[in-house]
Amino acid sequence: MPDWLLYTGSRHPHDAVERLPPPPPWRAFDGGPVLPPPSGPSGNAHQARTYRPSDDAVQQVNAALYLRRPLLVTGPPGTGKSTLAYAVAHELGLGPVLHWPITSRTTLRDGLYQYDPLTRLYAAGRDDAPADEDIGRYIRLGPLGTALLPYARPRVLLVDEIDKSDIDLPNDLLTIFEKGEYEIPELTRRADPSAEVMTADGPRVAVTGGAVRCRAFPLVVLTSNGEREFPPAFLRRCVSVELRQPSGEAELAAIVREHLGALADDSDDLVRRFFERSSAGTLATDQLLNAVYLCRHAGAADRRALADRVMPYLTGPADDE
C-alpha cells in the first residue's frame, strides 16, 4: 500500500489518522473549544470487520480525508455503500458513525438540530420552574449538527440515500459543507446566546455565541443508488467513487466466507446460482448471504429452489418460479 494511505481497508484498527496532514488553506476550520474524540465501536461491528473495499474506494476515502471534502458513494443496492462508512470508522478509530437517513421530506434543519418549544413552554408554566431556565435542555443536535462540533478528530457522518431527498437539499448542504458551521437562532436571539445542548449520540456540549463551527471537518459519506442527478456545483465539491457488484464467482465466494466462515462451506452451487440469476435482473450480495445461511440450516433437499425464494429480483424481470 502507498505510504500516504491512512485508511487501507485492512479492517484492523490503528492510529494512522494521527498522520493526517493539516488541511488545505481553503478547508481549514478553527472551531472550539476542542472536544475529545468519542470512543466506542463504529456501530456495525460485523459489517466493518468483514467489508472488502475496492482499491478505488480506498483511494477515494483517503482523498476525501486529506481534502476535507464529502465522499459521494454511488452504486447498485448491496454493494456496501453504507458499510464503507462503518469500515472507515472501525479501522481509523473514529468512534460511532453518525447516521442520517434521508427521505423526500428531510430538510437541512432535521440534520442540524431540533428545538422543542412545546415542552419548554410547559416547563416554564410549572410553579417550580427556575427563573433562569436552561434552554439547552430543549435543543438536540442532529447527526449533521453533531458531526460539525469542534472534535479533535473527524467524525464519520453517513448521509444515507441522498438521492431520495427533496431537490433543494443537496444545494442547501453546500453552504454548510463550505463554511463548516451553522447557527442556532433560538440561541442567537437570547441575551446570553450560550447553552449546553444535547448531541445526537452523546453527552451535552457547550455552544457559545449561538453557533457551532467544526475543527476537524467530518468524513461525510453520502450514498446514492443513482436514482437522480446532482447539480454540478454539488458534484464538484465532492470526492466521488462508484461501487460495483463483485466481478466473478471467486470474488463473491470470498465475500461469503468473510461473512459466514465455516457456514460458507459447500456454497459454490449457490454462488453460481446467484450469478446465473443476476444476468437477468438486479440482485444484491446480502441476498446471497441470506440464501447461504438459510440453506445451511434448513437442510432443504432442493437448495436451488429455496435460494431463489430469498433472492428475488430487485429490478428486472419478475420471478417466474
Side-chain angles (χ1 to χ4, degrees), residues 42-255:
S42 67
N44 195 334
H46 173 78
Q47 294 286 355
R49 289 195 298 264
T50 57
Y51 185 66
R52 298 166 63 93
S54 65
D55 290 342
D56 191 33
V58 170
Q59 297 275 341
Q60 296 302 82
V61 165
N62 283 277
L65 285 167
Y66 274 70
L67 298 175
R68 277 65 170 184
R69 289 292 185 184
L71 179 68
L72 178 61
V73 187
T74 59
T79 50
K81 298 185 297 295
S82 300
T83 305
L84 178 59
Y86 292 94
V88 176
H90 171 75
E91 182 179 324
L92 297 183
L94 298 179
V97 171
L98 294 159
H99 184 206
W100 185 22
I102 303 298
T103 70
S104 60
R105 300 179 300 277
T106 302
T107 66
L108 179 64
R109 168 79 174 263
D110 296 330
L112 291 176
Y113 74 96
Q114 295 176 340
Y115 171 59
D116 187 357
L118 294 180
T119 301
R120 183 187 176 197
L121 182 64
Y122 172 77
R126 297 200 317 260
D127 293 337
D128 60 346
D132 185 15
E133 185 186 11
D134 180 8
I135 189 176
R137 295 171 54 193
Y138 311 104
I139 297 175
R140 184 182 184 90
L141 304 185
L144 173 59
T146 300
L148 290 172
L149 287 167
Y151 289 107
R153 288 183 176 182
R155 294 294 305 265
V156 178
L157 170 65
L158 172 60
V159 184
D160 220 358
E161 299 191 326
I162 184 69
D163 51 333
K164 287 184 168 54
S165 72
D166 176 87
I167 192 171
D168 293 325
L169 183 60
N171 282 327
D172 291 341
L173 287 169
L174 288 182
T175 300
I176 298 296
F177 290 158
E178 288 302 296
K179 296 176 63 177
E181 64 181 14
Y182 63 96
E183 287 190 348
I184 301 177
E186 288 79 6
L187 290 180
T188 58
R189 291 194 292 260
R190 291 167 55 90
D192 180 5
S194 300
E196 285 196 347
V197 303
M198 295 180 285
T199 59
D201 69 341
R204 294 173 67 181
V205 297
V207 173
T208 59
V212 172
R213 180 172 174 81
C214 74
R215 191 171 190 90
F217 189 79
L219 175 63
V220 182
V221 178
L222 306 137
T223 73
S224 169
N225 291 322
E227 297 180 4
R228 63 180 279 193
E229 294 185 356
F230 297 103
F234 180 80
L235 293 175
R236 74 180 180 84
R237 290 173 170 85
C238 295
V239 174
S240 300
V241 62
E242 182 177 1
L243 303 186
R244 303 181 184 278
Q245 294 285 10
S247 58
E249 291 185 22
E251 182 181 355
L252 188 56
I255 293 174

Side-chain angles (χ1 to χ4, degrees), residues 4-15:
W4 74 280
L5 296 182
L6 307 176
Y7 170 66
T8 64
S10 70
R11 296 166 291 175
H12 300 296
H14 54 76
D15 59 359

